[in-house]
Each structure stands twice: as C-alpha cells, then as structure tokens.
Amino acid sequence: MRDWWRGAVIYQVYPRSFVDSNGDGIGDLQGLATRLGYIAGLGVDAIWISPFFTSPMRDYGYDVADYCGVDPMFGTLADFDAVIARAHALGLKVVIDQVYSHTSDRHPWFAQSRAGRDAPRADWYVWADPKPDGSPPNNWQSLFVGPAWTWDARRGQYYLHNFLREQPDLNLLNPEVQDALLGVAQFWLERGVDGFRVDAVSHFTHDPGLRDNPPRTGGPRTRPVDFQTLLYNSDRPETLAFLARLRSVLDRYPERFAVGEIGGPDSAGRSLAAYLGDDRLHTAYSFLFLRADAPTPQFVRAAILDWEQLHAGGWPTWVFSNHDAPRAVSRWGGGGPPDSYPKLLNALLLSLRGSVCLYQGEELGLPQAHVPFERLRDPEAIANWPQTLGRDGARTPIPWSAERAHGGFSEAEPWLPLDPKHLALAVDRQQGATGSVLETTRELLAIRRRYRALISGDIRFLDSPDPVLAFERRDGAERVYCAFNLGAEPRAVTAPEDTRWRALMGDLGAPLGAYGFVLAAPG
C-alpha cells in the first residue's frame, strides 16, 4: 500500500488570511472550518495549516509562546478539534507546523532561562559570553536583519537568534529541550493531526565552538547574512540525532509523516539527503524554486535530475509559492493569453515527480498583491524595504466574492489590504467558469488522481525544442506525456511515436501556444 503522503497534494492554509468568521479582520479556525468543503472540492489530499499557536505575533505565529495553545485570535482548542473532525470527514488529512528552532521571547521557558545562569532551564537557549571588547561572540548574522546575537543584561550574556531578536534559538543540543519538543509533537499527534511541516530544520542546532562563518562569494546581497556561508549556524550534523528521535515518535502513530523546510541562503541547490530516510524526515523541500529566476527547461530538468542523483531514492516535495516568498506568477512573470501563465505553472507543479504543496490562491492564479509601505506588517519586509518584495504581498486575504466588501473575507477591514486586482479573480467569479484558473486546476488535480503515473511514477525527460519542457511519467504500463511551453512564442511539439496518444488536457494536434501545455495518455 502506498504511503498517503507519497505524491500527495497538500493545500497550504495561511489562517490569518483565509476566512474571518467573527468580524475582527483576521482569519480564524472557525472560518477555515466553513471552507473545508471548498478545499476538498479542489481534489487535494491534505491541508497544511500555518501556525495558529499562542504568540505575540512579531513573526505572525512563527514566534510561539505556547506550543500547545491556540491563540485567541484564531479560536480555541475546541475549534481546532472541529477543524480536524470536519477535514477527516471530507477525506482530508491535516498537517500543522512545528516550530522547533526557536520560540518567542515571551515563552515561559525563555523567561526562566534568562533569569540567571543558575536559573531553571538556564541551558535551554543558546547563551554565550561577549568577546573581551564586549562585542558579540562571533560574526553570525540573522536571516532577517543584523547580527544573530542580542545582549541580555539579566544574564550578562548574548543569546542567539537566527531570525528576529524576539525569536531566541532553543538549544537543541540539550536533551531536556529535545524531550520537551517531542512532548509537544505527541500532544498534537494525540489530537489527531496526520503530519507535521517542520519549520527551519536547517537551524535546529549550531556549532558548539561558535566558530565564525566564512565569507560568501556571489549571489544577491540585500542583507548582512548574504555575505556569509552559513557553515556553523546552519545544517549542522548535530541535528540528525534529534530528527531520529522525532521520527521514532511519529512511527508510533500509524500513517503520520513529516515534511521538513530546509531553508536559508545556501539551501537552494544543495543535497537534502542527510535529512531524509527511514529514521529521519519522510520528505523535505528547499527554496530551490522559491528563490529561482523564471524556470527554464534546463533549470527544471536539472532540479529533478539533481534530486534523483543526490538524494538516493529520497522522496521530494515541490513548492512554487508559499507564505515566505512572493507569489510565483509575479516573481517569474510570463504573459500571453489571459490566465495562461498561472495555468501553466499549476500544470507543471502538479506533473512533477514528488509530493506538492499548493499555496492558497495558487488555484486562483493570484499575482503578488501590492501592499503600501504604511500597511506592511512583515518585519523582514519593513527592515529591507524597498530592496525586497517581502512576504506580505503573498499573505493578503483570499478573495471569495468579487462584489462583497473586502472580497467576502471579512466584514471588517482586513489585517492586510485586499488588492483590488484580486477581485476579478475571486472564487465566485471563477467557480464553474470553463477555462478559469480555478476550474483548470481542479481538472489537473482530477487527472493526477486518475493516473498513478503522475502520483508515484518515474520521470523521463524527452528531447524538445527550447523553451519547451517535455517528459513522460511512467508507472508500470501506465504512461502520461507532459509538455510545457515556457516561452511567449508558439512551439510545435511531438509526442513519442511508439504509441497512440489522446489528449487529457490541451491540444496534441497543434503547436503549443504561449505558455501553453498538453497532457496526454495512450488511447
């Protein structure tokens, strides 16, 4: 029997921006519950719910103050239980974030740790003495802005934070910290969650010697961290022992899984093999496509083949957009006939060998929203404005109705503004409209469910004229031919001549139009 997650399509919900049920301008769990039927109707296998835990929201939920509590703005534990029950009744698995790299500085553990060097949980975070001149212990830089160290007068030491200063890093080299986090995992598994998206796996552990990172050459430099190779505060071998312990907990619960986020400036093209295996994560994704220029046939082919070569049979997960990156439709551009580019991207993503995370709004073809500087909420975007697009433009509310106030997301002004250009792409405008991005995505998901080759089959790349990407997916005798024109000019394509093909989507008998695609099967 195939593991359910192997080849699954997981729909990511950013709950703050999905549905507001109580009129405070912020999405919540009760709102999510009312739209689970919509998600199930897409034909996906699971939902991934971004953090809803108790938090001061300095990083919008990824700064956790209580791992086992629901922040009141999202509802209650009973509301979460209702989401699980409703999702399972609809045949959807439920995946939630687990943020083990760091906590909020408002977490009780940190309050105890910073109280003194002999305080309870004194060694639960990463503390270090200053250099003789009072400067930080080493040259490590945070991923958002500035040094990765902040002075704390209570202890007379610096604490490490690879993200915001309000997100102190847990010391996962400490077995007691590991025990506490595994207890958190068990808490949610007992409540019925089907898996975890494990945040910031690259930053779980650090070099105990606190050695300086070497300089980095090449690549864009918009933040101090871009000047370093993250050798000593990222991707440490010490992380693997904790992952083995986490896997042992997951394995006690049938059909559970974990997908890891392998992030950071150096994450895009490297091997993730060390993180995967029978005693580690089930699958993982990097920022390869999230940070790439517009994909070319050569780039996509290299990404897939590199995975096949570097990961020794490990199972990939592919992501084009999420809450941490500008939306792919805008990031990569594209044009041609209306809606052609978002349809192409969804068709490509859903045809790759691996599991897939589909971010809310990708099924609508939403472009990156414009958020005026005075409405920005993302601390990374504010700190680096205007050099980066930031993350807020990918986090604006989902437009449910073109005619209702605030797109039907809320009765109140939303926490982030709804971009007017999104209203034309609202769910009620696309629902039932033949050829819309929404209905095309539903059809693509139905084709994927119908053909096992697209879920678990091998992938074989075919010769094709640039900029066409063509490959065949095979599972035993079942075959699916896939061709994608990644350019703005029409291109002729030819399916393999060893069989007779019938189109599943697109036209086999004509050149592929600008950003067009075709899927076909024997018959």
Side-chain angles (χ1 to χ4, degrees):
M1 181 178 175
R2 177 180 66 91
D3 294 322
W4 73 263
W5 52 267
R6 195 178 293 271
V9 179
I10 303 168
Y11 184 91
Q12 182 190 353
V13 173
Y14 192 72
R16 287 183 71 97
S17 297
F18 202 60
V19 185
D20 171 22
S21 71
N22 61 3
D24 63 358
I26 297 171
D28 47 54
L29 293 173
Q30 287 189 11
L32 168 58
T34 67
R35 296 290 184 170
L36 286 172
Y38 164 80
I39 298 173
L42 294 174
V44 300
D45 302 287
I47 58 171
W48 150 27
I49 311 174
S50 291
F52 50 85
F53 314 112
T54 306
S55 168
M57 300 294 163
R58 293 304 300 266
D59 192 26
Y60 294 95
Y62 286 92
D63 51 326
V64 180
D66 180 356
Y67 281 112
C68 298
V70 173
D71 194 280
M73 73 172 59
F74 296 122
T76 65
L77 273 173
D79 293 329
F80 177 75
D81 292 340
V83 167
I84 287 190
R86 176 64 176 152
H88 286 171
L90 291 167
L92 292 170
K93 304 287 188 182
V94 178
V95 177
I96 66 171
D97 265 290
Q98 292 289 268
V99 187
Y100 298 149
S101 166
H102 52 270
T103 70
S104 165
D105 61 355
R106 305 289 181 86
H107 198 293
W109 296 347
F110 188 66
Q112 293 171 331
S113 187
R114 77 192 314 183
R117 302 188 190 197
D118 297 322
R121 299 189 170 95
D123 194 35
W124 279 42
Y125 293 81
V126 183
W127 297 93
D129 291 328
K131 290 180 179 179
D133 63 359
S135 60
N138 59 31
N139 71 347
W140 297 352
Q141 298 291 316
S142 75
L143 282 147
F144 284 168
V145 63
W149 297 96
T150 289
W151 174 257
D152 186 87
R154 295 170 183 80
R155 283 186 54 137
Q157 288 182 304
Y158 284 91
Y159 66 85
L160 177 67
H161 53 90
N162 279 298
F163 298 92
L164 294 175
R165 63 185 296 170
E166 293 88 0
Q167 294 172 292
D169 272 41
L170 284 164
N171 179 15
L172 268 80
L173 301 178
N174 183 339
E176 291 182 358
V177 174
Q178 294 187 19
D179 291 344
L181 294 175
L182 295 176
V184 170
Q186 288 179 270
F187 174 86
W188 293 108
L189 291 166
E190 289 290 337
R191 296 198 92 84
V193 302
D194 301 287
F196 298 138
R197 179 266 189 184
V198 188
D199 184 67
V201 175
S202 306
H203 295 284
F204 276 8
T205 57
H206 61 283
D207 170 40
L210 303 182
R211 288 171 283 184
D212 281 349
N213 281 329
R216 176 189 182 208
T217 58
R221 294 183 173 184
T222 60
R223 306 163 296 172
V225 71
D226 298 328
F227 289 77
Q228 295 186 356
T229 297
L230 306 189
L231 187 62
Y232 295 115
N233 63 330
S234 180
D235 296 300
R236 299 294 304 168
E238 295 88 350
T239 291
L240 303 181
F242 173 71
L243 292 181
R245 295 192 67 195
L246 176 63
R247 180 61 178 265
S248 70
V249 170
L250 285 161
D251 285 348
R252 295 203 293 269
Y253 296 81
E255 298 186 36
R256 306 308 207 271
F257 95 117
V259 52
E261 177 206 36
I262 315 299
D266 304 322
S267 74
R270 69 165 186 265
S271 170
L272 310 185
Y275 293 107
L276 307 176
D278 292 340
D279 62 344
R280 294 171 191 171
L281 297 170
H282 298 78
T283 179
Y285 70 88
S286 76
F287 279 42
L288 179 63
F289 284 107
L290 293 172
R291 292 219 169 104
D293 294 330
T296 62
Q298 296 78 17
F299 181 86
V300 177
R301 182 192 295 249
I304 304 300
L305 294 179
D306 284 352
W307 179 280
E308 302 282 340
Q309 179 180 356
L310 293 171
H311 297 78
W315 190 256
T317 292
W318 301 110
V319 182
F320 284 0
S321 291
N322 70 9
H323 66 288
D324 273 334
R327 290 189 177 274
V329 171
S330 298
R331 183 163 26 98
W332 289 338
D339 301 335
S340 60
Y341 198 60
K343 293 177 190 176
L344 170 75
L345 294 185
N346 288 346
L348 175 58
L349 178 63
L350 293 170
S351 299
L352 296 178
R353 181 181 182 271
S355 301
V356 168
C357 290
L358 188 72
Y359 183 49
Q360 65 180 45
E362 277 186 283
E363 80 279 12
L364 302 175
L366 296 185
Q368 181 80 350
H370 171 66
V371 181
F373 178 77
E374 62 273 13
R375 292 293 304 273
L376 289 175
R377 306 292 292 270
D378 173 21
E380 190 271 339
I382 294 168
N384 295 300
W385 186 89
Q387 296 304 313
T388 62
L389 284 174
R391 301 177 296 179
D392 283 337
R395 298 177 174 183
T396 57
I398 291 296
W400 295 100
S401 172
E403 302 298 331
R404 292 180 59 191
H406 312 302
F409 163 74
S410 174
E411 295 178 357
E413 179 67 29
W415 74 287
L416 281 176
L418 192 85
D419 193 320
K421 66 177 177 281
H422 283 187
L423 292 176
L425 303 172
V427 172
D428 68 347
R429 285 283 178 88
Q430 298 197 47
Q431 194 114 285
T434 302
S436 68
V437 180
L438 174 58
E439 294 302 335
T440 299
T441 304
R442 281 187 175 139
E443 190 174 347
L444 287 165
L445 285 160
I447 292 170
R448 184 181 174 97
R449 290 196 308 276
R450 197 182 316 146
Y451 289 91
R452 186 180 179 87
L454 289 172
I455 295 175
S456 56
D458 294 332
I459 186 168
R460 181 172 68 93
F461 289 95
L462 306 171
D463 292 334
S464 57
D466 196 59
V468 172
L469 173 72
F471 53 80
E472 190 177 305
R473 300 292 307 278
R474 288 194 181 202
D475 189 317
E478 187 177 85
R479 303 166 66 184
V480 177
Y481 168 71
C482 310
F484 308 89
N485 181 5
L486 301 179
E489 299 296 329
R491 288 289 186 271
V493 296
T494 304
E497 297 179 354
D498 61 343
T499 192
R500 194 170 186 172
W501 299 92
R502 61 182 176 85
L504 302 173
M505 184 175 284
D507 187 354
L508 272 176
L512 289 179
Y515 305 108
F517 66 92
V518 63
L519 305 180

